[in-house]
Amino acid sequence: MTAGPADTAAPVDWAHARSLAYAAGLAAAPPAVALPLGEADGHTLAEPLATLTDLPAFPTSSVDGWAVRGPAPWRPVGRVLAGNTPPPLTEDGTAVEIATGAMVPEGADGVLRVEESSRTADGWVTGELRPTPEWRAPGEEARAGEELLPAGTPVDPGVIGLAASCGYDTLRVRRAPRAALRVFGDELLTAGPPGAGRVRDALGPAVPAWLRRYGCTMDPTDVVTPVEDTLEAHVTALRQALEAGADLVCTTGGTMRGPVDHLHPALRELGAEYVVNTVAVRPGFPMLLARVAGADGRHRFVAGLPGNPQS
């Protein structure tokens, strides 16, 4: 539906609005790229993060101690450190010293904690195994191919560490969208206390913080407040933001049908198409989402938010 008068569309419920917005954003997402792990921070996953192998990939000792076979006492026959593949234990009554994180040798019946072990005069190891295993079994954390994170997850240091532990060298990601903000309203003050018929702009400082928190990038020049309450100023402000490279332009105010509410006519001037107009929700009524085709054929979006912080 091409942008037209605000009263021509019936509000949709919140869940439906979110699904429409998600589908529209996914269709307009920039191409996915493969980046080394160290360069993926701040992007979003273009595909689910799944394990490349069982985690852990091999039986791993949870403690420092002895990997033993058969009943006590045990004759020490070697040592296993992390990073090595040990030979199997093939004889009952034998043990190998083992470090935390080391691979448990095939044939071991259990791991005895070092602090719960003792040595006989002739060097044999004795002690009592706990009833629960002291190692982590393959796949105990996750099975090979298991999805750990969905596509769209913001990549942060925790995600990078998880991907590395799964064996990834690169991640397929999409860049963070660039956002802009245009605050409409002649009545707004950008400094000092309200008075004389004018109110302080509370959304100009707050909305960019929310946009960054949800994964957008913004420069100080991406925020313009206030925009004059004329149709020409609204059209110019929106067009400048879109031409400057914004993927999403948030606006505050002008979403109703009052004498100085110019957002809907401005969208019509830009040839915008509504994704959602409007949402049946309070607080937050009325809000809208529209898309504008760029010169490259990819859609950019205008999200119209109400101007009253309490609305």
Side-chain angles (χ1 to χ4, degrees), residues 124-152:
W124 287 55
V125 177
T126 62
E128 185 174 347
L129 293 172
R130 293 192 177 192
T132 55
E134 296 283 12
W135 69 60
R136 295 185 299 135
E140 184 176 306
E141 296 178 10
R143 289 294 182 185
E146 182 177 338
E147 181 178 323
L148 302 182
L149 296 172

Side-chain angles (χ1 to χ4, degrees), residues 45 47-55 141-151 153 158-159 161-168:
L45 294 179
E47 55 192 29
L49 181 70
T51 55
L52 300 179
T53 183
D54 286 345
L55 292 179
E141 296 178 10
R143 289 294 182 185
E146 182 177 338
E147 181 178 323
L148 302 182
L149 296 172
T153 300
V159 172
L162 179 61
S165 70
C166 291
Y168 285 86

Side-chain angles (χ1 to χ4, degrees), residues 111-282:
V111 175
L112 176 68
R113 293 186 176 220
V114 65
E115 64 269 22
E116 296 175 359
S117 69
S118 60
R119 304 289 290 270
T120 64
D122 54 0
W124 287 55
V125 177
T126 62
E128 185 174 347
L129 293 172
R130 293 192 177 192
T132 55
E134 296 283 12
W135 69 60
R136 295 185 299 135
E140 184 176 306
E141 296 178 10
R143 289 294 182 185
E146 182 177 338
E147 181 178 323
L148 302 182
L149 296 172
T153 300
V155 178
D156 60 17
V159 172
I160 292 172
L162 179 61
S165 70
C166 291
Y168 285 86
D169 300 314
T170 63
L171 285 175
R172 286 187 60 78
V173 296
R174 301 186 196 277
R175 65 170 176 81
R178 180 178 173 183
L181 175 64
R182 298 296 184 262
V183 180
F184 301 145
D186 289 337
E187 78 280 10
L188 298 176
L189 292 169
T190 58
R198 304 186 70 188
V199 297
R200 181 66 186 269
D201 172 22
L203 296 174
V207 172
W210 282 111
L211 290 169
R212 293 188 188 96
R213 186 164 299 193
Y214 284 108
C216 294
T217 61
M218 292 187 73
D219 295 326
T221 57
D222 291 325
V223 180
V224 176
T225 177
V227 175
E228 185 182 357
D229 276 331
T230 67
L231 176 58
E232 181 182 3
H234 280 49
V235 172
T236 299
L238 291 172
R239 181 172 284 130
Q240 287 177 343
L242 293 167
E243 291 178 350
D247 300 292
L248 170 67
V249 183
C250 281
T251 67
T252 68
T255 55
M256 290 290 286
R257 301 180 297 278
V260 291
D261 291 332
H262 300 294
L263 179 57
H264 292 278
L267 292 173
R268 189 162 55 248
E269 288 282 331
L270 294 171
E273 177 188 18
Y274 287 117
V275 177
V276 175
N277 178 30
T278 62
V279 185
V281 61
R282 290 186 185 277

